[in-house]
Every structure is written in C-alpha cells, then in structure tokens.
Amino acid sequence: MQDKIRVLISEKDIERKISEIGAEISRKYTGRTVHLICVLKGGAFFMCELAKRITTDVSMDFMSVSSYGSETASSGNIKIIKDLDESIEGKNVIIVEDIIDSGRTLKVLTEMLQQRNPACMEVCTLLDKPDRRVADVDVSYTCFNIPDEFVVGYGLDYDQKYRNLPFIGVVEF
Ligand code: IMP
Ligand code: MG
C-alpha cells in the first residue's frame, strides 16, 4: 500500500451505525420480507453486514452498473453490466449503496427499477456526500454524511484497491 490513508470512520463506529439502521429496517418491515439489492462492487461489504442485522426475512440480489465517462464524475448515463437475477415485482426493495456522490447514478437506477413494479422501494447508503449532490434522490437510510473528500475502504475503492480495508479512510494524495 503506497498511498497514505487516514482513518475517517473506524470499524467500530461503522458497525454500531449499521446495527442501528438494521434495527430500524427490522422494525419497519416486521412480518414482511425485505429484498436487498446490492449495487456492486462497492455495496457488497455494507450489504452483507446490514443483512446480518435485519431480523425479518431477507432476500438478496445483485446488480452492477457503470456510468459512462470519467471515473471521478459520473455522467448519469448508466450501462447495466449485470442485471438482477430475479424479478422485483411486488417486493419490498431496498437498494444498498456504498456512497452517494452526485446522485446521478442512483437517480437513473431508481427510475429504471421503479418501472419493474416493486411493492415499495427505498435507498440505504453507507455514505453520503451531500455537498456534491446534483440529482434529486430520496434516501431513506444514511449511515454517515461525510465531507467532500475521496474515501476508500469498506467496499469503496481507489483504482480497484482498498475495498478490503475494514474502516473508511481518506487517501492523502
Ligand atoms: P454518483 O452517481 O456521482 O452519485 O456516483 C456514485 C459512485 O461514485 C459511487 O457508487 C462510487 O462508485 C463512486 N464514488 C463517489 N465518491 C467516491 C469516493 O469518495 N470514493 C470511492 N468511490 C466514490
Ligand atoms: Mg456505487
């Protein structure tokens, strides 16, 4: 690891917050099945930890999208790299994201999935950079709001590296 990485949110703080969100989702969906949709690859670590803390029935599916254009500024044009395996019709969908930056990717994604007629659809994100928001998106559960800094770890990468860090860190370029 050549880059210097400063801890922004510790593993302990992340886990405590995920437990709170998991409990909130469990209360809200008691007696119903929650269908978690992971947006790959960044959302994978968060979704696994979240799923373990939900006490009502959970089903899971995975989707991979890429936004055209540069990596650091998403354009809002998204391409499906891997679509869901199952239909979401009539399901209580929660989209699980690593981070919401401009919100463009999520806006296009939620509009696309809404057309598939889920019973309901919410968004749960590990991180949010509200200062960077361009597209108007409705986020039901946010673990942490963070300042406009480039972060890695807990699923988030810099050039495909550092996803496996157990904390959220800032790369000191
Ligand atoms: P948006 O469409 O601008 O909201 O793009 C969000 C996506 O950009 C996330 O799913 C990440 O893949 C990526 N991203 C945004 N900010 C960061 C960051 O600080 N670290 C790592 N990836 C980021
Ligand atoms: Mg993402």
Side-chain angles (χ1 to χ4, degrees):
M1 294 202 183
Q2 312 90 312
D3 305 293
K4 203 164 173 288
I5 296 170
R6 165 169 57 87
V7 177
L8 183 68
I9 309 167
S10 71
E11 183 174 18
K12 219 171 160 186
D13 287 346
I14 297 169
E15 290 184 345
R16 190 180 310 127
K17 194 70 203 182
I18 296 177
S19 294
E20 280 174 34
I21 303 270
E24 195 182 334
I25 291 172
S26 303
R27 278 194 300 274
K28 177 160 179 181
Y29 289 92
T30 303
R32 293 187 285 167
T33 300
V34 179
H35 191 62
L36 300 177
I37 292 181
C38 173
V39 184
L40 293 168
K41 304 170 188 163
F45 290 70
F46 176 41
M47 187 166 103
C48 293
E49 292 305 315
L50 179 67
K52 287 191 276 180
R53 291 165 175 88
I54 296 175
T55 52
T56 188
D57 288 345
V58 167
S59 55
M60 297 192 277
D61 207 343
F62 298 83
M63 188 159 188
S64 181
V65 298
S66 79
S67 55
Y68 296 110
S70 90
E71 275 297 306
T72 44
S74 71
S75 59
N77 294 317
I78 67 169
K79 188 167 95 181
I80 298 179
I81 306 294
K82 184 220 166 295
D83 205 340
L84 299 171
D85 290 339
E86 293 147 35
S87 163
I88 57 169
E89 194 170 341
K91 293 181 182 170
N92 306 305
V93 169
I94 299 181
I95 299 173
V96 182
E97 269 281 17
D98 52 355
I99 187 165
I100 303 167
D101 188 37
S102 73
R104 288 192 179 109
T105 313
L106 185 62
K107 187 168 174 66
V108 178
L109 184 64
T110 50
E111 284 170 0
M112 189 165 72
L113 294 181
Q114 202 67 63
Q115 289 172 7
R116 300 184 187 183
N117 300 318
C120 57
M121 193 166 71
E122 292 188 308
V123 174
C124 179
T125 189
L126 177 62
L127 303 172
D128 192 349
K129 288 180 184 170
D131 297 346
R132 301 259 306 169
R133 192 63 37 80
V134 176
D136 183 29
V137 285
D138 191 12
V139 181
S140 301
Y141 313 95
T142 302
C143 291
F144 302 97
N145 284 313
I146 60 165
D148 182 14
E149 289 186 287
F150 195 82
V151 292
V152 294
Y154 226 89
L156 290 120
D157 73 304
Y158 168 54
D159 206 12
Q160 297 304 323
K161 281 189 299 187
Y162 308 129
R163 291 191 195 276
N164 58 318
L165 294 177
F167 56 86
I168 302 290
V170 176
V171 186
E172 316 239 275
F173 291 106

